[in-house]
Amino acid sequence: MEGEKFNDRISGFTDTGAWKLFIYISSTGVSALMKNDYEERPEQFKLFERQWSEKEPDILKNIESAVYDNPRILDDFSTHIIIDTEKTLLVPSELVEDDEFEPEMFTEIYPTDEGEIFMDHGKQFTVLYTLVPGLKSFLARTLPGSKISSALTVINNFITKTYTNREARCYGLSHGDDLYTLLYAEGELLCASKHTHCSPEDTLYWICLPCEAYGRKKEEIKVRVIGSENYFRFVSESLSSQVKKVKLISPALYENETELRAILALHTNKQL
């Protein structure tokens, strides 16, 4: 049983204050990672992974089962939950902070109850997102006090650590057949989106589209790729003649970025 293997593996993690827990949730699976920041070389472990088809009739039930089958993650760890969902909207933070802000701008695009909306507040943008009905209340009951972020927020936070100038850049993060694209210019994020079931050819389209939509000439854009070397090679060979430069972000740069690695980990069988 997956849960038994999980409990055997972390049976020695009795000092919950020494370990941080990262839980990644999407419409097709749940994975959990543990990180110890108190060692000279921080340890990271991929604890368990549960995957299912996106056609499953009850995604919430699958999420609940994955959590309850691995009860040690309910211990008093410092926990960061990352939710990966297409149902995401970036809204200027000044609008969200306005007393007259109406969540209808989100619910009209993604029909859901207002109480199901998560929010990540940022200086420039606030990320509004939801995954499935009932998830927000389940997490509040089962993992109270946990930090919750959208995958988009995690990716943007990582990128902004290295994006320190004002040049136009488009970032593509590929994991499985999903793709996140984020366009930056003048030191700010202009747009971001997630695309599923992307073929390599689709990737090229989704990387170029925001450049054109925001009036940026492709030949002035630098493309940065987060993903496998094979994926980078395809993008580089296809786009090098169209854009200013294509570069792979070295995995060494996010070796200790556990939140980002949690997003990438669900689609690989490699242990962290």
Side-chain angles (χ1 to χ4, degrees):
M1 293 260 316
E2 182 186 60
E4 293 173 354
K5 292 180 181 178
F6 173 79
N7 288 322
D8 289 343
R9 182 165 187 177
I10 67 168
S11 59
F13 295 178
T14 55
D15 185 0
T16 57
W19 294 89
K20 293 182 179 179
L21 176 64
F22 299 85
I23 302 174
Y24 170 88
I25 301 174
S26 75
S27 61
T28 57
V30 176
S31 63
L33 304 104
M34 192 76 79
K35 180 180 180 181
N36 185 337
D37 281 330
Y38 294 91
E39 302 293 333
E40 185 174 342
R41 295 188 61 185
E43 296 179 274
Q44 298 183 74
F45 298 97
K46 185 174 180 180
L47 301 174
F48 76 88
E49 178 176 319
R50 179 80 60 84
Q51 294 191 52
W52 53 79
S53 168
E54 64 181 354
K55 297 180 181 179
E56 285 284 334
D58 195 339
I59 293 174
L60 179 63
K61 183 177 180 180
N62 286 351
I63 295 171
E64 292 173 341
S65 296
V67 171
Y68 290 137
D69 287 349
N70 298 283
R72 283 298 303 276
I73 67 174
L74 303 178
D75 287 350
D76 190 26
F77 294 107
S78 173
T79 303
H80 188 175
I81 300 169
I82 301 160
I83 299 176
D84 196 346
T85 173
E86 288 180 88
K87 301 173 184 177
T88 301
L89 182 67
L90 270 68
V91 178
S93 290
E94 59 184 19
L95 293 181
V96 178
E97 294 165 1
D98 192 305
D99 292 338
E100 297 182 1
F101 172 71
E102 296 291 344
E104 280 81 0
M105 68 169 59
F106 181 88
T107 58
E108 286 181 3
I109 301 173
Y110 305 111
T112 189
D113 187 273
E114 293 180 11
E116 300 291 344
I117 303 174
F118 296 90
M119 290 189 186
D120 296 345
H121 296 279
K123 182 178 180 181
Q124 181 187 359
F125 287 106
T126 291
V127 183
L128 280 63
Y129 56 103
T130 190
L131 184 61
V132 292
L135 178 61
K136 191 172 183 179
S137 58
F138 169 70
L139 295 179
R141 292 193 311 271
T142 313
L143 294 158
S146 298
K147 178 181 178 181
I148 300 176
S149 302
S150 69
L152 177 58
T153 296
V154 170
I155 297 167
N156 178 56
N157 288 346
F158 167 72
I159 291 173
T160 52
K161 291 180 182 179
T162 59
Y163 176 61
T164 56
N165 55 39
R166 301 176 65 83
E167 66 184 8
R169 290 186 184 180
C170 187
Y171 288 78
L173 181 143
S174 171
H175 61 120
D177 60 357
D178 293 346
L179 173 73
Y180 271 97
T181 56
L182 302 92
L183 178 65
Y184 296 80
E186 283 79 51
E188 294 186 344
L189 174 65
L190 298 183
C191 66
S193 56
K194 180 186 178 182
H195 313 281
T196 59
H197 307 295
C198 283
S199 67
E201 292 74 19
D202 292 334
T203 294
L204 304 180
Y205 172 78
W206 289 120
I207 286 178
C208 292
L209 181 64
C211 303
E212 298 171 357
Y214 280 80
R216 303 286 167 176
K217 296 179 180 179
K218 287 189 293 183
E219 56 269 23
E220 298 176 354
I221 298 288
K222 290 185 178 180
V223 174
R224 297 289 185 267
V225 174
I226 303 171
S228 69
E229 290 189 7
N230 287 337
Y231 170 75
F232 164 71
R233 193 174 299 113
F234 172 82
V235 173
S236 180
E237 291 174 355
S238 303
L239 284 183
S240 290
S241 62
Q242 302 180 49
V243 300
K244 189 172 183 178
K245 189 175 183 180
V246 182
K247 183 179 179 180
L248 176 68
I249 294 181
S250 169
L253 291 178
Y254 51 87
E255 181 178 4
N256 291 317
E257 299 286 339
T258 309
E259 292 93 339
L260 183 67
R261 287 162 62 84
I263 296 171
L264 299 171
L266 185 63
H267 299 277
T268 175
N269 292 321
K270 294 180 180 179
Q271 298 295 328
L272 296 184

